[in-house]
Amino acid sequence: LAKTTQPISMDSYEGQEVNITCSHNNIATNDYITWYQQFPSQGPRFIIQGYKTKVTNEVASLFIPADRKSSTLSLPRVSLSDTAVYYCLVGLGTDKLIFGTGTRLQVFP
Amino acid sequence: EAGVTQFPSHSVIEKGQTVTLRCDPISGHDNLYWYRRVMGKEIKFLLHFVKESKQDESGMPNNRFLAERTGGTYSTLKVQPAELEDSGVYFCASSLTYGGGAPYEQYFGPGTRLTVT
């Protein structure tokens, strides 16, 4: 399972776009990139998943360059409720999830 | 549809006692996982069930931990005897059977906070 590296923390203000980049240099050909969000006192929650190029859903976008050695989670117009820890994970199938330290996003009013 | 549920939400026990945590996965999910976060550390994988069988238990810290999944439904994680370092939050997650292609998301429960004093 590929190791991921992401910033420990980020600050933002309400209404701004937040981009969190994750590097995964040893990603395998069949691996997918998945992002989870975790609020205090809750379990992690799936946000978005992709294999290559760009994926967008109702809450976020995921940008993956051609070499797939990194990915960027983009949160448009964040609000206070987006304050959470965001985890980038790579894997396949029903692999166990390998969590890193995640990125602690703090959104200020 | 009900999500993953865990019981109890909190448990405080003394060192040497026994505690049993329970997880009820989403109905129809064959895959069930246990993870834990020890204070200040990252979330770590403990084990993975496929139905009632243990697919991967490489993350179980030692033989004081025993996980079961009777009939492929709910699962229990017993810690006996508990030690101080077992304190943390224990998460359970479940997912559908993998059929190839993109991995299925894992749905996490709210966790059980275990405090060993």
Side-chain angles (χ1 to χ4, degrees):
Chain A
L1 294 164
K3 178 180 170 59
T4 62
T5 303
Q6 51 185 125
I8 293 177
S9 65
M10 295 182 70
D11 292 336
S12 183
Y13 291 94
E14 282 191 293
Q16 290 188 331
E17 177 184 78
V18 171
N19 296 306
I20 306 174
T21 297
C22 175
S23 58
H24 26 79
N25 292 316
N26 297 320
I27 188 169
T29 302
N30 295 331
D31 283 341
Y32 280 74
I33 300 156
T34 309
W35 285 78
Y36 280 76
Q37 173 192 55
Q38 186 180 26
F39 298 113
S41 302
Q42 294 186 25
R45 184 182 73 162
F46 173 92
I47 303 176
I48 197 167
Q49 179 182 83
Y51 183 79
K52 62 180 179 180
T53 62
K54 176 184 175 182
V55 179
T56 297
N57 62 21
E58 63 276 9
V59 298
S61 294
L62 179 60
F63 298 90
I64 305 169
D67 66 6
R68 304 199 329 121
K69 293 183 182 298
S70 67
S71 59
T72 299
L73 174 72
S74 181
L75 305 173
R77 297 181 297 282
V78 295
S79 64
L80 296 177
S81 63
D82 292 316
T83 294
V85 179
Y86 293 82
Y87 296 97
C88 165
L89 304 102
V90 299
L92 174 69
T94 50
D95 282 349
K96 59 191 176 190
L97 297 179
I98 307 296
F99 288 87
T101 55
T103 297
R104 186 173 300 276
L105 173 65
Q106 178 69 54
V107 180
F108 295 96
Chain B
E1 178 184 289
V4 176
T5 58
Q6 295 186 244
F7 181 83
S9 57
H10 293 86
S11 180
V12 181
I13 62 172
E14 293 183 354
K15 176 181 173 182
Q17 290 186 322
T18 297
V19 63
T20 300
L21 313 181
R22 172 170 171 144
C23 168
D24 285 81
I26 293 173
S27 178
H29 282 193
D30 288 339
N31 294 283
L32 186 149
Y33 310 79
W34 284 97
Y35 297 85
R36 77 170 178 177
R37 183 208 295 277
V38 173
M39 178 68 75
K41 299 292 182 65
E42 299 161 6
I43 299 173
K44 295 289 189 184
F45 166 81
L46 294 178
L47 88 159
H48 170 201
F49 283 101
V50 177
K51 297 185 179 179
E52 67 275 9
S53 300
K54 292 176 184 175
Q55 179 78 10
D56 180 356
E57 51 184 329
S58 61
M60 294 289 264
N62 52 60
N63 59 11
R64 294 186 294 103
F65 288 75
L66 175 64
E68 294 180 325
R69 190 179 183 194
T70 307
T73 55
Y74 70 91
S75 174
T76 58
L77 180 64
K78 179 189 291 187
V79 185
Q80 179 183 31
E83 298 289 343
L84 298 179
E85 63 265 25
D86 300 331
S87 295
V89 181
Y90 289 76
F91 294 104
C92 174
S94 70
S95 72
L96 291 167
T97 301
Y98 182 58
Y104 290 119
E105 65 178 280
Q106 293 186 19
Y107 294 82
F108 282 77
T112 292
R113 181 173 296 279
L114 174 64
T115 301
V116 183
T117 62

